[in-house]
Amino acid sequence: MPDILGNILLYAGSFVLVLSVVVFVHEFGHFQVARWRGVAIDTFSIGFGKTLLGWRDKQGVQWKVGALPLGGYVKFADDADAMSSAPREKIDDPAALAEARARGLFHAQPLVTRAMVVAAGPLTNFVFSIAAFAMIAMIMGRDATDMTQVPARVDMVAEGSAAAAAGLRRGDTILSANGQPIASFIDLQTLVASSPEQALALQVDRDGVVIPIEATPRRQGERGLLGVSPLVLPEERRIERFGPLTAIAIGASNTWSIVAQTGAYIGAIFAGRESGDQIAGPLGIINVSGQVATSALNGGGDGGGIAGRIGMLALSLLSLAAVLSVAVGIVNLLPIPILDGGHLLFYAIEGVRGGKPLPAMAQEWAYRAGFAVMAG
């Protein structure tokens, strides 16, 4: 029972922490640009529902944490709702509009200001991801170990894999296969890849005793797969360190790679080439967060004791937050009403129409459709 409770707390705590960081980054982007452009802000909220913690600052902004940690919002002084979908009161009189603009009411601001405030959220998500990946690169460096010099020593054996079925264990060193010497883990990978569904007679060093084991790599596409990872000793590992500029370049590259892969995947879904089974809602994020946290605590930082495990946990969750932040940035730029991209679409239409927004009824139906899409 204690183990089950501990896992629940670990999964839930990891989810709340990671999602709260990403949401805060997104909303803080809206908040900072709004404040810079002189927009009056009423509320900055992380989470929805009943207020668990709240205070009001000297500028009159109410900061609060809601009981339901599934998002957040910045509510402007004249917003009718938390989505900033419409003003509380429509102003048509030019003099009253000018007065409202001077008071910082969001919906009375020029089109450029509104667009800047809305776009700032997802753009800040991308900036955060670049910074987070850069920080991880500076702290962790890059594994530059020459795997041609690492023996075919087994670390993890995947559950249900060909290696598990054959009886391979952590710490085993594969010396030969079908009489052919195996000098490194790269040699083993090369042989296994070219031998799908072909039995391999292995000679394995286990605790100083050489034993025979027969393993048959499973077919994955055109390649064979054994299901083991290499065990690299500390003296064999080489870590490449990076300076700030190189780390930022790595962060930008990692962020763009996720953007490109996600864009290609979403495009493939609409084209019918992919299913949507890789799209995760809250339950999916809870599961991934918990798995990342569990893996970091159980498998990372062995040499540093508790401090090492906590450090690995922090870096693992930061990496997950960086990935999730990119996803939040991309999704929010989609032209779906209720999302930032939907607002930007309406502003673009308003610009094309010479400053005339879409009729209120059209916007209302668009928001209803957007809500239905996001709920789905």
Side-chain angles (χ1 to χ4, degrees):
M1 185 67 178
D3 289 342
I4 295 175
L5 181 59
N7 283 336
I8 292 174
L9 292 175
L10 181 62
Y11 273 57
S14 301
F15 165 76
V16 171
L17 178 61
V18 169
L19 190 60
S20 295
V21 167
V22 173
V23 169
F24 178 84
V25 166
H26 180 91
E27 300 303 335
F28 196 69
H30 292 311
F31 176 85
Q32 280 295 91
V33 173
R35 175 163 283 182
W36 169 51
R37 300 294 291 183
V39 176
I41 303 167
D42 180 73
T43 305
F44 188 114
S45 178
I46 301 298
F48 302 101
K50 182 180 178 181
T51 300
L52 299 179
L53 178 66
W55 67 95
R56 194 171 290 275
D57 64 20
K58 294 179 180 179
Q59 285 73 36
V61 178
Q62 182 185 13
W63 297 75
K64 67 178 187 177
V65 177
L68 189 62
L70 294 179
Y73 60 90
V74 170
K75 187 172 183 290
F76 302 112
D78 59 332
D79 277 340
D81 52 51
M83 295 185 299
S84 299
S85 60
R88 284 200 301 263
E89 181 181 353
K90 183 173 175 56
I91 302 174
D92 294 318
D93 179 67
L97 187 63
E99 181 188 356
R101 183 172 294 175
R103 287 163 48 203
L105 300 188
F106 175 73
H107 296 276
Q109 297 303 309
L111 189 59
V112 171
T113 293
R114 285 178 281 146
M116 289 175 63
V117 171
V118 170
L123 293 181
T124 304
N125 281 121
F126 296 132
V127 172
F128 168 79
S129 296
I130 292 171
F133 283 132
M135 183 183 299
I136 293 169
M138 290 184 64
I139 294 173
M140 298 294 292
R142 179 164 58 197
D143 191 342
T145 304
D146 183 0
M147 296 304 295
T148 63
Q149 302 301 313
V150 175
R153 192 186 302 116
V154 175
D155 185 9
M156 301 298 293
V157 178
E159 186 177 347
S161 65
L168 284 170
R169 302 177 186 172
R170 187 176 192 272
D172 286 350
T173 300
I174 299 170
L175 305 175
S176 67
N178 293 345
Q180 176 182 337
I182 301 294
S184 69
F185 198 85
I186 293 295
D187 288 347
L188 177 64
Q189 283 183 314
T190 302
L191 178 63
V192 168
S194 63
S195 308
E197 300 178 0
Q198 297 179 29
L200 299 177
L202 307 177
Q203 292 294 308
V204 178
D205 182 339
R206 178 175 292 170
D207 299 325
V209 178
V210 178
I211 60 174
I213 288 181
E214 184 175 288
T216 303
R218 306 268 171 82
R219 182 180 294 277
Q220 187 175 67
E222 299 299 319
R223 299 167 59 84
L225 184 67
L226 196 56
V228 297
S229 61
L231 177 59
V232 182
L233 302 180
E235 61 269 22
E236 296 169 337
R237 192 174 297 282
R238 188 170 75 85
I239 302 298
E240 182 181 1
R241 299 295 178 183
F242 302 108
L245 293 180
T246 305
I248 291 173
I250 291 173
S253 176
N254 289 348
T255 299
W256 172 248
S257 177
I258 297 172
V259 171
Q261 291 174 15
T262 304
Y265 176 65
I266 292 175
I269 290 175
F270 282 105
R273 297 192 303 271
E274 291 278 2
S275 68
D277 58 359
Q278 299 300 310
I279 297 176
L283 292 179
I285 300 172
I286 289 174
N287 188 44
V288 172
S289 302
Q291 288 177 352
V292 168
T294 301
S295 177
L297 290 175
N298 292 341
D302 292 331
I306 294 177
R309 290 172 185 269
I310 292 175
M312 185 60 67
L313 173 63
L315 288 175
S316 297
L317 292 180
L318 179 61
S319 178
L320 176 60
V323 173
L324 187 59
S325 187
V326 177
V328 168
I330 293 172
V331 169
N332 270 278
L333 286 176
L334 295 176
I336 299 174
I338 82 169
L339 296 179
D340 294 331
H343 288 288
L344 293 174
L345 175 62
F346 287 154
Y347 295 157
I349 295 172
E350 183 178 335
V352 171
R353 286 164 54 90
K356 293 173 56 179
L358 282 174
M361 184 61 70
Q363 292 193 42
E364 181 181 346
W365 279 104
Y367 281 117
R368 289 181 181 179
F371 181 81
V373 169
M374 293 307 297

